Amino acid sequence: MEHGDSDPEIARRLEGNRSRLETALYGALLRAHAEGELAPGVDPRSAATMLASLNSGLKVLSCAGADQRDRITTSVDAVMAMLTPPAAAVTD
């Protein structure tokens, strides 16, 4: 994030953190896919990349203040709706 584009050490650490997160998400999504808990057509690798990116965006929003709560909630709800198979979706 900050200074990652100008400090090679920070950039290396940020990339390592992002890579570990994406790898962990990929493993969880593979398990979810094997157990039928992932929506049809969702590619676990692409979804892991998307979730890691969403994580970064949510961090930025959370730093922007409490007035971002609705935007954060909407983002999380939207991604869960994309990933969850219809039979497992919870209705209000």
Side-chain angles (χ1 to χ4, degrees), residues 22 51 92:
E22 196 169 315
L51 289 170
D92 292 330

Side-chain angles (χ1 to χ4, degrees), residues 63-81:
C63 290
D67 61 329
Q68 298 299 316
R69 177 175 287 214
D70 288 342
R71 182 170 279 134
I72 291 169
T73 300
T74 298
S75 298
V76 171
D77 289 347
V79 77
M80 291 304 295

Side-chain angles (χ1 to χ4, degrees), residues 36-40 42 76-90:
E37 296 177 354
L38 196 59
V42 172
V76 171
D77 289 347
V79 77
M80 291 304 295
M82 286 186 258
L83 297 175
T84 307
V90 177

